[in-house]
Amino acid sequence: MTAHSILERIAAIVGPQGLLTDPRDLEPYVVDWRGIYRGASPAVVRPASTAEVAAVVTLCAGSGTPIVPQGGNTGMCGAAVPHAGGNEIVLSLARMNRVIELDALNNTMTVEAGCVLANIQQAAAEADRLFPLSLGAEGSCQIGGNLSTNAGGVNVLRYGNTRDLVLGLEVVLPDGRIWNGLRSLRKDNTGYDLKHLFIGAEGTLGVITAAVLKLYPRPVTTATTWTAVPHPQAALEFLALLRGHCGDRVAAFELVSRNCLDLVLRHIPGTRDPLAQPHDWYVLADLSDSRAGAALRRELELALEAAMHDTLVSDAVIAENDAQSRALWRLRETIPEAARSEAGMLYRHDIAVAVSRIPEFIREAHTALRNRFSGVDIICFGHLGDGNLHYNAFLPGRSRSDPAARDAHDVTAVVYDIVQRYQGSFSAEHGIGLAKLGDMARYKSQVEMALMYTLKRALDPRGIMNPGKVLRQVMGDG
Amino acid sequence: MTAHSILERIAAIVGPQGLLTDPRDLEPYVVDWRGIYRGASPAVVRPASTAEVAAVVTLCAGSGTPIVPQGGNTGMCGAAVPHAGGNEIVLSLARMNRVIELDALNNTMTVEAGCVLANIQQAAAEADRLFPLSLGAEGSCQIGGNLSTNAGGVNVLRYGNTRDLVLGLEVVLPDGRIWNGLRSLRKDNTGYDLKHLFIGAEGTLGVITAAVLKLYPRPVTTATTWTAVPHPQAALEFLALLRGHCGDRVAAFELVSRNCLDLVLRHIPGTRDPLAQPHDWYVLADLSDSRAGAALRRELELALEAAMHDTLVSDAVIAENDAQSRALWRLRETIPEAARSEAGMLYRHDIAVAVSRIPEFIREAHTALRNRFSGVDIICFGHLGDGNLHYNAFLPGRSRSDPAARDAHDVTAVVYDIVQRYQGSFSAEHGIGLAKLGDMARYKSQVEMALMYTLKRALDPRGIMNPGKVLRQVMGDG
């Protein structure tokens, strides 16, 4: 079958609305939003239903045509972008954007893969429920992409990763069969758990077309505090104290270093230091509860008093209202933007270690980088409560074209080698895609890699599903 | 290799302490605790380390000797008992019972598979933490078995199933390789999630040898209420109201029908009806919190007042102290024992449907059974908050030897067929084992069964790991 005749047959399945082939139309689909990964594709297919997805995949399986599933194309690792070879079609789920059902008494919501995350949050809120997944790209990312990358975000401490928010899935398998696992059950021990195979697989084992998501009681009160802590170990012990006092009401617990705050104050208009004196480290924490009233704030005050008594916290403010809370969160959320405003090279690392080992990791990695790269600045912030740091090394004055930029691999290797000794993760939230294939080979055990290849070969023997992402291309890949 | 020479080689690996071959020693390992499933085995192997497990499995893989992994042998479906053929060795993890590490600041605990659940709970409590898994067999079941069956229990509403309490696993694969996935990370998006494959697989894909478990802040206050509700729909709306008021502090929410309470009052010494008047349905609910003081009880009182105002609750008591709380829980926990004391046949069904559809399901199943089986009594109780009912049909006066007992399949088919129409589960907590192989074939879709067989063949091509459990024996099975 020629490429042309395949496109004709796809057009017959999805109709003229469902197929883009004009290069101008393809542009937003063949490059990631940061412009780092650029590929080529003969066509973008935009099916309107699971049956259409299944028919397209069946056709591609028969002809050996590789498929790159794509959601909102907001990923960080290039998983949703085709390779440059030009033979992979992009399968966009964007037209499948219906909320199929919301069952408030079951605390579930059934959605198609192309639903934008913010719309899902909104639909949940209208039913007086919370869908807790929340991240920077929520206005444009799609739930199918969130599922395929097991997205993290700011509410993981309390509610878990995307994986933990799913009860059921519908998946079109690499041979075009539909697996209907759209169950909305809290308990079901009938055989192997298939959904967790597809969640986080970045589209390499099938196309997620719909999901049953968990909803939660909607918090009605929030208390936000910005606290100064003398060092990361104090932050860690403050977290334990806060959870001891407030249990699951601790919804977020973010660590911010002084130089991150300095970057924000320098580059982001309208920001100011919430505290009178500078401090080396800060914690931004949110409590939330479904009970109205002043009890939550009082609880936070008591915990802060105890933490100050134990010299874990040296100064603190509590937001008096939503506007103040948003202003405190803005100090945390604009760090990446502020860092991009500095002249120099930023080497980013989305790493995780055991929460208890964060202070030790920070000390060891700082020392190793400073010994090796003179002038390096560490931009360290992130989700301390999850053991997940955005541990970024900044080399001022350098640019990508600079010969010294070839240090990139070396900088990252210093960080990841330490992460490895801590039995940590070199990709806590962002996945593998194309960006971290080399790290998979370097840091994963042979047994673990072999198991993953075994699964890939068993489920996608022709290798047509997003080939060369997560795992390097295997025999049979297009 | 002869069976004899295999046992000799196993003895060389595990030593004399590690191998039982005397039939009297084998007895507790070849029959389940209820005496329903009886098999035969040439030997019980009791390794003392993961390396020994790996060496034994490697040997068995080479000789095609089937292996039945066994924990505390407290399962309900026969998964841990060998077949009658007598060629399967039992691999007991009982000697691997060390707590390897407890990291309070990371809220994790690393344990060997043979640890008894109650010992794990105890170790967590000593570190001022909670390991929330709790179930009837906790004094003798082992965590490896809990993991392999994805055990449920009474705290699922708040903390999830066993699957949700795991960060990392170590598994000896069917060819004897060791997969070390003992990571204690809250976030790790580096390739396929392998642990969820082995959790709930009932030992058919490998032998779980160790795990990293999640710990939680230890609740210090509990409030227990026994409430009368007019009907299951009111119970459901009371649950929504309670979670709306108290959020995640709702730790358990159990539904009990009047005839369950009658059974308990009739057969269990020292029990009494907590309320002055009889009612058709009851809810037993627990709130818990990490904050000391009277706030939790006050919160429960306010929620009960609101529920009474809405006529969701017609009467209620709140336990004044731990002894009263235990007495209320005893009314729920002794229902199975009380039911066994009646003369007649009890057909048990561990089912789940969407929480919101429980009332409808109860109505429809009651009607269908009563129309078909005259004199049937419905013993209905369970974890309403999880959509999981122990929905048992009782036929008074019948016995197993009675010709009418051949109705067993018919009774169950009536219940499961309705469960199926509700897209529910025919095994919410207890798994498949041997007991529900026929139901797998009857109620699972062809695509889902094919996916499971694909995984089984890919990971255990020789078919030596617990053959014929979860899935019927596949080609290559011993």
Side-chain angles (χ1 to χ4, degrees), chain B residues 163-212:
Chain B
R163 177 183 303 287
D164 304 304
L165 305 175
V166 181
L167 293 180
L169 277 192
E170 180 187 70
V171 177
V172 173
L173 301 174
D175 58 8
R177 285 176 303 169
I178 299 167
W179 171 54
N180 181 347
L182 280 182
R183 289 184 279 264
S184 52
L185 307 174
R186 308 268 156 188
K187 281 180 166 177
D188 180 25
N189 279 342
T190 54
Y192 306 148
D193 193 305
L194 300 172
K195 67 178 180 294
H196 285 300
L197 260 181
F198 301 103
I199 299 171
E202 303 185 19
T204 61
L205 300 177
V207 184
I208 295 174
T209 47
V212 181

Side-chain angles (χ1 to χ4, degrees), chain A residues 103 188 291 299 355-356 425, chain B residues 103 106 188 291 299 356 425:
Chain A
D103 181 345
D188 180 24
R291 179 183 43 195
E299 209 171 285
V355 177
S356 54
S425 173
Chain B
D103 181 345
N106 195 40
D188 180 25
R291 178 183 44 192
E299 211 172 286
S356 54
S425 172

Side-chain angles (χ1 to χ4, degrees), chain A residues 67-212:
Chain A
I67 298 168
V68 181
Q70 191 178 92
N73 196 13
T74 62
M76 304 293 278
C77 294
V81 174
H83 286 97
N87 66 330
E88 300 171 351
I89 64 162
V90 174
L91 184 76
S92 165
L93 281 298
R95 285 175 71 207
M96 294 175 58
N97 60 2
R98 283 185 314 142
V99 173
I100 299 171
E101 190 194 15
L102 193 152
D103 181 345
L105 284 176
N106 195 40
N107 282 299
T108 51
M109 188 168 172
T110 308
V111 299
E112 289 185 325
C115 283
V116 169
L117 175 54
N119 296 342
I120 293 175
Q121 295 166 342
Q122 181 62 30
E126 284 166 11
D128 197 28
R129 293 292 184 276
L130 173 75
F131 181 62
L133 183 65
S134 174
L135 44 87
E138 61 197 26
S140 52
C141 64
Q142 295 168 16
I143 191 68
N146 300 142
L147 291 160
S148 294
T149 55
N150 184 31
V154 294
N155 286 328
V156 173
L157 177 61
R158 178 159 178 180
Y159 298 100
N161 295 287
T162 301
R163 178 184 301 289
D164 303 304
L165 304 175
V166 181
L167 293 181
L169 277 192
E170 181 187 69
V171 177
V172 172
L173 301 174
D175 57 8
R177 286 176 303 169
I178 299 167
W179 171 53
N180 181 346
L182 280 182
R183 289 183 280 264
S184 51
L185 306 174
R186 308 268 155 186
K187 281 180 165 177
D188 180 24
N189 279 343
T190 53
Y192 307 148
D193 193 306
L194 300 172
K195 66 179 180 295
H196 285 300
L197 260 180
F198 301 102
I199 299 170
E202 303 184 19
T204 62
L205 300 178
V207 184
I208 295 175
T209 46
V212 181

Side-chain angles (χ1 to χ4, degrees), chain A residues 181-445:
Chain A
L182 280 182
R183 289 183 280 264
S184 51
L185 306 174
R186 308 268 155 186
K187 281 180 165 177
D188 180 24
N189 279 343
T190 53
Y192 307 148
D193 193 306
L194 300 172
K195 66 179 180 295
H196 285 300
L197 260 180
F198 301 102
I199 299 170
E202 303 184 19
T204 62
L205 300 178
V207 184
I208 295 175
T209 46
V212 181
L213 306 174
K214 283 190 209 171
L215 302 178
Y216 288 83
R218 198 168 60 83
V220 296
T221 36
T222 305
T224 304
T225 179
W226 177 272
T227 69
V229 295
H231 41 68
Q233 180 66 30
L236 181 64
E237 290 172 23
F238 174 40
L239 170 63
L241 183 151
L242 196 60
R243 294 191 84 198
H245 276 69
C246 311
D248 292 335
R249 292 182 287 284
V250 184
F253 195 94
E254 303 281 313
L255 183 71
V256 175
S257 67
R258 175 70 207 184
N259 59 351
C260 292
L261 180 61
D262 284 337
L263 280 174
V264 168
L265 299 177
R266 190 150 66 236
H267 293 289
I268 309 294
T271 55
R272 62 172 198 83
D273 188 337
L275 299 176
Q277 303 294 326
H279 300 266
D280 286 346
W281 293 91
Y282 300 96
V283 163
L284 174 62
D286 254 4
L287 304 189
S288 67
D289 197 12
S290 50
R291 179 183 43 195
L296 191 70
R297 189 195 161 106
R298 183 69 196 126
E299 209 171 285
L300 176 57
E301 286 167 355
L302 289 173
L304 283 171
E305 280 169 26
M308 286 184 174
H309 178 265
D310 294 351
T311 68
L312 303 176
V313 165
S314 32
D315 199 2
V317 290
I318 298 179
E320 295 293 335
N321 51 46
D322 280 0
Q324 287 189 9
S325 171
R326 278 196 301 274
L328 294 178
W329 272 97
R330 191 154 173 255
L331 297 175
R332 159 65 184 84
E333 285 165 353
T334 54
I335 296 170
E337 179 186 339
R340 281 194 295 271
S341 308
E342 290 279 300
M345 279 294 286
L346 188 67
Y347 303 92
R348 294 160 203 269
H349 311 105
D350 164 40
I351 64 98
V353 299
V355 177
S356 54
R357 302 196 71 190
I358 287 266
E360 204 182 336
F361 170 83
I362 288 176
R363 269 197 308 278
E364 187 169 339
H366 280 208
T367 305
L369 285 170
R370 283 178 184 142
N371 287 347
R372 178 90 177 265
F373 304 97
S374 72
V376 70
D377 203 11
I378 312 295
I379 314 291
C380 173
F381 62 99
H383 319 294
L384 178 63
D386 311 318
N388 175 201
L389 291 180
H390 299 294
Y391 187 86
N392 302 331
F394 183 72
L395 283 163
R398 288 198 185 171
S399 74
R400 206 170 276 276
S401 55
D402 200 326
R406 66 166 179 267
D407 285 347
H409 176 72
D410 297 341
V411 174
T412 294
V414 168
V415 175
Y416 287 175
D417 286 355
I418 297 171
V419 167
Q420 175 81 349
R421 276 195 287 105
Y422 281 71
Q423 297 172 285
S425 173
F426 57 85
S427 194
E429 301 195 296
H430 296 162
I432 302 302
L434 289 167
K436 298 191 175 175
L437 289 173
D439 302 311
M440 285 287 274
R442 180 175 173 128
Y443 296 110
K444 286 281 175 189
S445 72

